[in-house]
């Protein structure tokens, strides 16, 4: 496993293909706005997953979802970004590409606040930020499936996502407020239960 952050690695893949351009067109943003927004949204999503996966039960639930729903969208042996984007943008209705559904599992009832956090960071309105998160969520899940689901190691997944949560900087501190559902200033087991102990289960 290389030491490059998961967010940086996925962002690089989006830049190499037509990913950012497709997202730009979908949201009606220019390329520089999209680059900045995606660069902020990926750490937000991965950091939130890192918070959820910090508990063993959360990590195992996430790994189960990756193995069950997202290995196929990861293109078997590889991460096929083009086909994932096509399915997400086309609204195929599959659970694996249902961005809003995935966000519901990641953020619980805090999706509007997460979109607001991203909007504050990027200058986008909350509606556009929410759409961007919904586009990126299935892509992030497929990327994680390709990286971790075949080995089936929940602790490795938890560790990698935990590093994302630490590396997300300012987004991470704002994120803590979003996910801290009992208002005690910390994201812990009680918040995880409020988000739903069956994280990412349908």
């Amino acid at each position: 496993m290389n030491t490059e952050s998961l967010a940086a690695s996925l962002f690089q893949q989006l830049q190499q293909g037509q990913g950012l351009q497709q997202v730009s067109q979908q949201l009606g943003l220019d390329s520089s706005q999209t680059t900045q927004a995606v660069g902020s949204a990926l750490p937000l999503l991965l950091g939130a997953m890192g918070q959820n996966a910090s508990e063993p039960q959360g990590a195992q639930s996430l790994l189960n979802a990756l193995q069950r729903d997202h290995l196929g969208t990861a293109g078997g042996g590889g991460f096929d970004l083009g086909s994932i984007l096509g399915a997400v943008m086309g609204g195929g209705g599959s659970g694996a590409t249902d961005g809003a559904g995935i966000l519901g599992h990641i953020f619980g009832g805090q999706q509007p606040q997460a979109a607001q956090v991203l909007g504050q960071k990027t200058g986008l309105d909350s509606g556009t930020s929410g759409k961007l998160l919904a586009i990126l969520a299935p892509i992030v899940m497929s990327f994680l499936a390709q990286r971790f689901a075949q080995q089936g190691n929940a602790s490795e997944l938890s560790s990698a996502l935990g590093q994302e949560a630490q590396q997300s900087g300012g987004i991470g501190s704002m994120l803590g407020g979003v996910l801290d559902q009992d208002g005690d200033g910390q994201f812990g087991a009680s918040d995880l239960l409020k988000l739903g102990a069956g994280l990412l289960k349908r």
Side-chain angles (χ1 to χ4, degrees):
M1 187 78 54
N2 65 39
T3 56
E4 182 181 39
S5 82
L6 295 172
S9 178
L10 179 51
F11 185 69
Q12 193 174 32
Q13 291 194 43
L14 283 164
Q15 279 185 309
Q16 285 169 352
Q18 298 295 309
L20 291 180
Q21 188 180 337
Q22 287 178 263
V23 173
S24 261
Q25 291 168 350
Q26 186 80 2
L27 298 178
L29 302 175
D30 64 37
S31 59
S32 63
Q33 283 178 306
T34 304
T35 299
Q36 185 206 4
V38 171
S40 296
L42 291 176
L44 177 65
L45 284 167
L46 286 160
M49 289 181 182
Q51 300 274 21
N52 289 332
S54 62
E55 304 280 338
Q57 182 184 12
Q60 189 59 55
S61 293
L62 175 57
L63 183 64
N64 290 346
L66 294 176
Q67 291 173 323
R68 184 181 64 240
D69 297 327
H70 297 277
L71 263 180
T73 62
F79 176 62
D80 185 353
L81 180 60
S83 66
I84 297 164
L85 264 172
V88 172
M89 307 279 193
S94 155
T97 56
D98 176 12
I102 293 168
L103 290 178
H105 293 300
I106 296 171
F107 294 114
Q110 308 295 301
Q111 282 173 261
Q113 290 91 326
Q116 196 173 9
V117 164
L118 183 60
Q120 289 168 0
K121 180 86 173 171
T122 61
L124 300 177
D125 63 78
S126 290
T128 304
S129 296
K131 284 181 192 171
L132 175 61
L133 289 171
I135 289 170
L136 292 176
I139 295 169
V140 168
M141 292 291 283
S142 292
F143 175 74
L144 291 176
Q146 189 252 327
R147 286 287 188 104
F148 297 102
Q150 284 155 331
Q151 291 81 10
N153 188 330
S155 63
E156 188 177 302
L157 174 65
S158 175
S159 172
L161 286 172
Q163 288 174 13
E164 294 298 313
Q166 290 170 6
Q167 289 172 9
S168 57
I171 279 261
S173 58
M174 288 190 280
L175 183 66
V178 170
L179 294 178
D180 175 22
Q181 298 209 344
D182 57 14
D184 65 356
Q186 298 177 0
F187 179 83
S190 61
D191 299 298
L192 182 66
L193 290 172
K194 287 185 177 68
L195 287 171
L199 172 72
L200 296 171
K201 286 182 180 173
R202 279 188 286 283

